């Protein structure tokens, strides 16, 4: 189950539970829909409620990042549990994704970028 929150400048997707082969296609469709829209151009995946992540879930995130980069959209992750964060570190995807410690940290960075 995922929740999506959209404003004029930001779409927040909040997946919950397990991101795995069973629900990765639906999660991918939701990410694709968020990135396919003309506005907003900033997509945040708030991972606070994600308990586990397998290779299928990880590939959906990588695909969404690639799609967002092609459209010059900002695509970020936040609030990764330590068990999820280690997956990104082991795969070195923490060097590819923009990952924020919390949603508040992301919003502070977003406000800082808006002032430039």
């Amino acid at each position: 189950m995922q929740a999506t929150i959209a404003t004029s400048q930001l779409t927040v997707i909040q997946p919950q539970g397990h991101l795995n082969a069973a629900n990765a296609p639906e999660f991918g469709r939701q990410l694709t829909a968020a990135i396919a829209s003309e506005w907003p151009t900033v997509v945040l995946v708030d991972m606070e409620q994600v308990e586990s992540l397998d290779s299928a879930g990880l590939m959906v995130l990588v695909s969404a990042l690639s799609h967002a980069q092609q459209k010059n959209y900002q695509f970020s992750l936040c609030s990764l549990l330590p068990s999820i964060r280690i997956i990104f570190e082991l795969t070195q995807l923490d060097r590819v994704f923009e990952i924020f410690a919390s949603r508040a940290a992301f919003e502070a960075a977003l406000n800082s970028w808006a002032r430039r």
Side-chain angles (χ1 to χ4, degrees):
M1 173 67 84
Q2 281 87 226
T4 302
I5 301 167
T7 66
S8 62
Q9 69 181 136
L10 170 66
T11 295
V12 178
I13 298 174
Q14 299 170 299
Q16 298 175 353
H18 308 282
L19 291 181
N20 55 33
N23 58 21
E26 177 58 32
F27 181 52
R29 283 189 287 278
Q30 188 175 20
L31 289 172
T32 298
I35 296 166
S37 66
E38 289 300 315
W39 300 104
T41 59
V42 178
V43 177
L44 174 66
V45 181
D46 184 340
M47 305 277 286
E48 185 174 29
Q49 299 296 318
V50 175
E51 298 171 21
S52 67
L53 177 70
D54 74 1
S55 60
L58 194 58
M59 289 308 301
V60 166
L61 289 168
V62 170
S63 177
L65 174 64
S66 176
H67 187 201
Q69 288 174 335
Q70 290 172 2
K71 292 187 72 172
N72 290 321
Y73 282 15
Q74 180 182 339
F75 186 89
S76 302
L77 308 175
C78 76
S79 306
L80 280 68
L81 295 175
S83 59
I84 303 297
R85 177 83 188 194
I86 195 74
I87 294 168
F88 284 85
E89 292 172 357
L90 290 171
T91 58
Q92 297 186 356
L93 288 172
D94 61 324
R95 299 177 185 182
V96 177
F97 283 91
E98 188 170 41
I99 301 173
F100 293 88
S102 66
R103 189 144 164 204
F106 170 80
E107 290 170 354
L110 186 62
N111 290 334
S112 173
W113 298 325
R115 285 188 230 124
R116 289 184 195 168

